[in-house]
Each structure stands twice: as C-alpha cells, then as structure tokens.
C-alpha cells in the first residue's frame, strides 16, 4: 500500500531513529544516539545549515536574525490585556533557537525541578537532572572581561547599591535567591562565536556515516503503520518533493513548543472534537496537546544616554538582575535584562520617540501565572497555528503587578550612581507616568517576549488529564514516540530555559538508550 495512506511501502527511507527538528534538543540527541555506530539516525530540519555562516555563528548578530529568512515569525492572537503585535520568533536553521537567541545560559533552580516532581514528573528532580551539567558539551562561561561594557558594569554596581542585592560572579556556581551581575553565555569569547547546540554537538560529528541530515525539509504529518503504531513521518523537501521516513525504533519529536504540538494536531493527535471540526480524523483524543502555553513576558523602560556608548559587548544584553519581592522566598520572582541598545520596537508603535543612543531595562515575569493555548485554524499544514498566550489575565493580577513593581525598581536603579550619570532622560514611558494604573497600562501595551514558549505537550502523571507525555517523555497512548523539547515543561523555569532543554535532551538520551543517569550524590541547595 502507499505511504500516503499511512501504511508505508518499500520506498520509505528507514532509520533506527528519526528526529523531527534539528534544534537545541535534536542536536543533542543526534550526537548521543550516533555514538553507537550501529544505530542509524536521521535528523529532519526545516532550515538550512549554520556551518560556516557568520550571520548565524556571530553571537552579537542575533538581533538581525529576528524576522529574517531564518525566522518562522509566528504572530499572536488579539491580547486584550497585553500587546497583540508580538512576533514570536522561532528559528529556521540547524541548531534551532540556540543558533538564533542570545545564548544566556542558566541552570534551572532546584525549586523549579522540585515543582515538576510535585506535578507528577517522577525522575525530574534536581538530584537527577542537575548532574547532567557535567555532560553538556557547550562552552558556558560568564561574559568575558573584554565584553563587559562600562555602562553594564555601572548598571550592576547601581543595582547592588540601590537594592542591596549581592553581585553574582557566576550565576551557575550555585542556586541563587537574588542578585545582579553579568550573565553566563554559551559562547567562545575570543571570536564572539556561538557555542550553540549545533556547534557543540553536531559540527564535530557531521562525518559520522550513521548520521543523515535532511535540511530545508519540513515534517508535517505522522503516519501510522498497519498495527496503528506511529512509525513514519511525511516530509516536504525544498523543491516540493514528498518523502516518507520510517523509524524502526522511535520517532523523536524535537520541533519546539509550537511546531511539535502543531505536528501532532495535523496528525490527528489532540482534542478530538477540535480536529473533527477542521476535517482531521482523530487518531487519539489527547486534550492537552496545545494547552498550557507558557512564556516569560516582559516590558521595557528606555533611557536616552548622554552620548554614544563604548562599543564592546558580547550580545548587547550582557547583564541583569534577579529580585525577590517577598522576603523569605527561595526563588526570585522578578528579573531584568539590561540592554545596551534602546529596544524600542513596541514603544515607537505607541508613539514614543526613537533615540540614537540609549539603554533599557526589561522587567520580566519569571514564573507567569497567565497560561495560554495554541490550536490549528486549518487542516492545511502551511497555515500557521493560533497562539493565544493570554498575557496578564491571571485572576490574582500577579503578572501585571510584577511589571508595575519592576518599573519602579528600574527607576530606582537608574537614579543611583554610577549609572545615573550616563542617562540624559527617561524616554518611555517617561517620568510623568507614575500611578500603578498608568504604569500597568504602559507596561502591558509595550510588553514583548523573550521567545520562551513552552509547556504545550506537558509531561505529567497518568492521572493528569492534560498530560501529553509521561515522565519518560513517551507520547501518551503510543509506543515508539517521544517528545523532547520545551513543550514538555509542566511549569516554566524561573530562568532563561535553554540549558534546561539541553539537560532534558541529555536525560532523554539515557531514557531512550537505557543507560543509567549521571546522577550522583546530593545537590547543594
């Protein structure tokens, strides 16, 4: 029978493992699984290679990749209490978002992983997951001295002086409740080159004969075999040609928190009634597919500087701040990135002036309580899904208040030396915006994303009705399919999540191969 009707034939390309998505997690799995020379692995990646492409490999060029040929550029639905103009960049290139983002690299906090265990994810506690840091191949280091811009140094000094928080030299040295300092990045400071998942994991092994890369190839449907098992994936190549790839052991879905659930839904796996309404015949009624859409929303406050800034930087957002708004809390609940450029895309749209020289602080909600969802609007695979993050809709108003508090904290830091002497004036929202209501209105309308969608195929216990995968990352109701990317997060880690994805992929490699985990000893808290 033909591959088109889902039964496959002798023309199917056959591998032991087919990895859908050559992004952060997919690169890790491709490397680890092909360590066994008898195992055949195929990686399907919708974008081109990053090998030798300085536009990708030069870290400081990240901002020019947004809304470019390397960006899928997903839009959001109307956000009544937020910014409806946010473009959610998703990388279209080998290495995925680790080839596209700023490579800010934090280990997850132990309490973040404890929360996963409490949500039914046995085996994902800090004592199991954090030891995988020993296995990471990326070079992760604090921003190098030559990249520490004087104004960023003075931001750190002013935050320490104004707020009394410690200066942290290495945020990954131990868990932290709060602090300010330069971030750790996955990069090679000597040449400002990325140490992305593709650079660290795939580039050194591209000549392995058991590794096949299918670039600029888009996977859009999973196909069942005669026994009902999902063993095949239908793909479309750059020239429009169709192909079916078959996995004899497992299909590994690593396409990210938007495209992994999108692929499942297009394949008939998700809320059955919704699928029928689009003319898609359900294979499995999994109501959690596309639910639990999480993000790290943040806003922005911009200052014009007295003149041009010194030119040195790793990626123009090299330092930051974490705060506990509640005394005695074990984790921060307010974060800031400090940008050495005026990030004014959203403020200009609101009528605020552009400035040639400036900086900004971005109050960020580390564990937002507003939860959204994504869904298909058409059975046509080329139509983008709908993304509704439901920003700032949590009933308690936690997310909104976090931004309001953050705006006030940012002004306090800006009014403190040595940062104060650099700043000419506050451009957005401007010093006349002072009440909670005014600050909230501005902060929500000027809000943006730091491109951290997660949670849409969440991991959970058997009695969790919205869990899509079990704690071994196996797709509920199917043998031989796992999901390995940020879509499995049951809750959002406090910190930038890239390293959490790397750790999850390293853990997944052990789950897939049956190797023992690297966990040993106690994790210091």
């Amino acid at each position: 029978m033909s591959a088109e009707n889902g039964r496959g034939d002798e023309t199917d390309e056959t591998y032991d493992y087919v990895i859908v998505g050559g992004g952060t997690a997919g690169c890790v799995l491709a490397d680890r699984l092909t360590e066994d020379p008898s195992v055949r692995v195929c990686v399907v990646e919708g974008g081109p290679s990053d090998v030798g492409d300085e536009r990708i490999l030069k870290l400081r060029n990240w901002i020019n990749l947004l809304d470019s040929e390397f960006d899928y550029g997903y839009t959001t639905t109307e956000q009544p209490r937020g910014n409806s103009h946010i473009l959610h960049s998703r990388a279209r290139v080998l290495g995925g978002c680790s080839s596209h983002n700023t490579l800010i690299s934090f280990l997850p906090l132990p309490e973040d992983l404890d929360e996963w265990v409490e949500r039914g994810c046995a085996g994902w506690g800090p004592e199991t997951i954090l030891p995988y840091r020993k296995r990471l191949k990326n070079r992760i280091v604090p921003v190098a001295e030559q990249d520490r811009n004087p104004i960023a140094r003075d931001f750190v000094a002013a935050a320490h002086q104004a707020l009394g928080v410690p200066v942290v030299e290495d945020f990954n040295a131990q868990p932290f409740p709060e602090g300010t300092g330069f971030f750790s990045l996955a990069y090679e400071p000597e040449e400002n080159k990325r140490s992305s998942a593709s650079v660290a994991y795939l580039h050194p092994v591209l000549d392995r004969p058991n590794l096949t890369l299918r670039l600029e190839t888009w996977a859009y449907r999973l196909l069942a075999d005669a026994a009902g098992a999902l063993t095949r994936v239908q793909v479309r190549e750059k020239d429009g040609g169709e192909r079916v790839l078959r996995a004899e052991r497992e299909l590994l879905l690593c396409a990210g928190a938007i495209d992994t659930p999108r692929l499942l839904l297009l394949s008939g796996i998700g809320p059955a009634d919704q699928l029928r309404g689009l003319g898609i015949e359900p294979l499995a009624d999994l109501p959690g597919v596309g639910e639990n859409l999480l993000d790290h929303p943040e806003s922005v406050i911009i200052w014009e500087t007295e003149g041009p800034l010194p030119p040195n930087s790793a990626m123009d957002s090299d330092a930051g701040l974490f705060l506990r708004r509640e005394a005695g809390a074990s984790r921060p609940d307010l974060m800031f990135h400090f940008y050495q450029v005026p990030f004014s895309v959203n403020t200009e749209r609101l009528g605020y002036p552009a400035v040639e020289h400036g900086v900004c602080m971005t109050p960020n909600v580390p564990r937002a309580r507003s939860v959204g969802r994504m869904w298909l609007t058409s059975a046509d695979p080329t139509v983008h899904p709908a993304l509704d993050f439901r920003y700032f809709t949590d009933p308690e108003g936690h997310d909104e208040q976090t931004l309001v508090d953050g705006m006030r904290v940012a002004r306090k830091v800006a009014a403190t030396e040595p940062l104060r002497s650099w700043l000419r004036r506050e451009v957005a929202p401007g010093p006349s915006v002072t009440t909670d209501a005014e600050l909230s209105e501005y902060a929500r309308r000027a809000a943006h994303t730091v491109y951290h969608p997660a949670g849409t195929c969440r991991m959970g216990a058997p009695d969790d009705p919205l869990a899509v995968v079990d704690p071994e990352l196996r797709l509920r109701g199917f043998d031989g399919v796992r999901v390995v990317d940020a879509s499995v997060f049951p809750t959002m880690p406090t910190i930038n999540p890239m390293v959490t994805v790397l750790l999850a992929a390293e853990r997944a490699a052990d789950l897939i191969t049956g190797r023992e985990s690297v966990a040993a000893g106690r994790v210091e808290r």
Side-chain angles (χ1 to χ4, degrees):
M1 302 177 74
S2 72
E4 189 67 34
N5 66 15
R7 299 299 184 248
D9 61 23
E10 65 277 3
T11 65
D12 294 353
E13 281 188 20
T14 302
Y15 302 89
D16 294 296
Y17 298 97
V18 175
I19 299 171
V20 178
T24 305
C27 288
V28 175
L29 291 180
D31 178 7
R32 293 305 185 192
L33 294 176
T34 55
E35 289 174 344
D36 180 347
S38 70
V39 170
R40 302 158 300 158
V41 174
C42 179
V43 178
V44 180
E45 167 53 43
S49 175
D50 64 329
V51 175
D53 193 329
E54 291 295 308
R55 295 171 297 173
I56 302 297
L57 298 178
K58 194 79 168 178
L59 175 57
R60 203 172 180 185
N61 192 51
W62 71 272
I63 200 164
N64 294 318
L65 302 178
L66 302 177
D67 200 17
S68 74
E69 65 189 278
F70 302 108
D71 187 349
Y72 285 113
Y74 292 113
T75 56
T76 56
T77 63
E78 185 71 21
Q79 300 294 295
R81 303 206 75 250
N83 176 6
S84 303
H85 303 272
I86 293 174
L87 190 71
H88 269 268
S89 293
R90 298 283 86 198
R92 182 186 165 273
V93 64
L94 192 64
C97 289
S98 73
S99 290
H100 204 269
N101 63 16
T102 56
L103 289 176
I104 297 171
S105 298
F106 291 100
L107 289 168
L109 299 177
E111 293 90 340
D112 293 339
L113 298 171
D114 286 336
E115 198 169 74
W116 289 13
V117 175
E118 292 167 5
R119 295 292 187 99
C121 303
W124 288 84
E127 67 284 349
T128 301
I129 302 305
L130 292 180
Y132 278 96
R133 69 181 298 180
K134 304 171 188 175
R135 195 183 281 179
L136 297 181
K137 292 189 173 186
N138 315 74
R139 184 181 179 188
I140 297 175
V141 294
V143 169
E145 287 297 321
Q146 71 267 20
D147 290 331
R148 298 191 175 199
N149 194 286
I151 196 169
R153 290 182 187 274
D154 287 349
F155 161 79
V156 172
H160 169 64
Q161 177 68 26
L163 307 171
V165 298
V167 174
V168 179
E169 297 300 329
D170 181 355
F171 281 102
N172 290 319
Q174 60 186 16
F176 56 91
E178 56 188 1
T180 185
F182 283 87
F183 297 137
S184 288
L185 309 179
Y187 85 132
E188 303 285 348
E190 296 80 10
E191 296 180 298
N192 191 246
K193 293 295 180 66
R194 291 180 178 274
S195 183
S196 62
S198 53
V199 168
Y201 283 88
L202 267 194
H203 290 193
V205 303
L206 287 174
D207 60 351
R208 284 181 179 167
N210 58 336
L211 174 63
T212 299
L213 290 185
R214 292 211 162 273
L215 299 172
E216 298 192 83
T217 300
W218 186 51
Y220 67 93
R221 185 175 292 117
L222 304 179
L223 303 171
D225 63 16
L230 293 176
T231 57
R232 296 170 174 81
V233 58
Q234 192 161 13
V235 303
R236 182 171 297 148
E237 297 172 313
K238 184 179 181 181
D239 62 3
E242 299 277 332
R243 188 181 298 269
V244 175
L245 310 174
R246 181 162 64 93
E248 292 192 331
R249 297 191 188 182
E250 293 195 34
L251 285 174
L252 304 171
L253 309 185
C254 307
I258 294 173
D259 280 309
T260 288
R262 180 187 186 186
L263 175 60
L264 290 173
L265 293 167
L266 287 168
S267 306
I269 301 166
D273 289 343
Q274 286 183 33
L275 296 174
R276 289 191 189 97
L278 294 172
I280 299 173
E281 183 63 31
L283 279 180
D285 185 9
L286 275 185
V289 176
E291 297 293 327
N292 194 46
L293 178 59
L294 310 173
D295 194 19
H296 280 148
E298 68 177 26
S299 195
V300 62
I301 181 167
I302 301 175
W303 289 267
E304 184 179 20
T305 56
E306 290 292 349
L309 302 178
N312 60 311
S313 178
M315 50 76 185
D316 295 311
S317 178
D318 302 328
L321 166 66
F322 289 88
L323 279 179
R324 294 176 294 180
R325 293 183 300 150
E326 295 183 14
S330 59
R331 289 177 289 177
D333 62 359
L334 175 60
M335 180 197 177
F336 294 81
H337 299 83
F338 178 73
Y339 283 87
Q340 294 143 221
V341 291
F343 192 69
S344 59
V345 172
N346 290 317
T347 57
E348 288 180 48
R349 181 180 49 78
L350 295 175
Y352 291 95
V355 293
E356 184 177 4
H357 307 295
V359 296
C360 54
M361 296 183 216
T362 57
N364 179 290
V365 188
R367 294 183 304 282
R369 296 180 186 176
S370 302
V371 177
R373 58 183 287 262
M374 63 147 288
W375 65 94
L376 298 184
T377 62
S378 170
D380 181 347
T382 65
V383 175
H384 281 186
L387 306 179
D388 182 5
F389 287 86
R390 302 191 73 242
Y391 290 124
F392 313 111
T393 60
D394 59 297
E396 305 88 356
H398 166 271
D399 298 354
E400 175 183 3
Q401 190 61 48
T402 301
L403 292 192
V404 171
D405 293 347
M407 300 291 285
R408 298 191 190 284
V409 168
R411 284 174 168 168
K412 186 173 182 179
V413 173
T416 303
E417 295 292 0
L419 181 60
R420 178 178 179 178
S421 293
W422 290 88
L423 308 179
R424 176 177 296 170
R425 63 182 176 121
E426 180 186 314
V427 175
S432 65
V433 177
T434 58
T435 69
D436 278 10
E438 291 169 338
L439 288 170
S440 170
E441 178 70 16
Y442 163 82
R444 289 182 289 107
R445 299 305 174 193
H448 58 270
T449 178
V450 278
Y451 313 110
H452 296 164
T456 48
C457 295
R458 84 181 188 206
M459 174 173 41
D463 61 353
D464 180 351
L466 294 182
V468 176
V469 299
D470 70 9
E472 293 196 3
L473 306 179
R474 297 173 298 199
L475 181 64
R476 178 173 281 181
F478 293 92
D479 293 327
V481 184
R482 294 187 210 237
V483 177
V484 188
D485 55 35
S487 69
V488 305
F489 291 4
T491 60
M492 180 65 87
T494 301
I495 41 67
N496 303 56
M498 184 189 71
V499 172
T500 307
V501 175
L502 291 169
L503 296 173
E506 288 280 11
R507 174 66 176 143
D510 284 353
L511 293 172
I512 293 163
T513 60
R515 292 183 301 210
E516 290 188 9
S517 76
V518 300
R522 291 172 59 88
V523 176
E524 184 177 344
R525 291 173 177 263

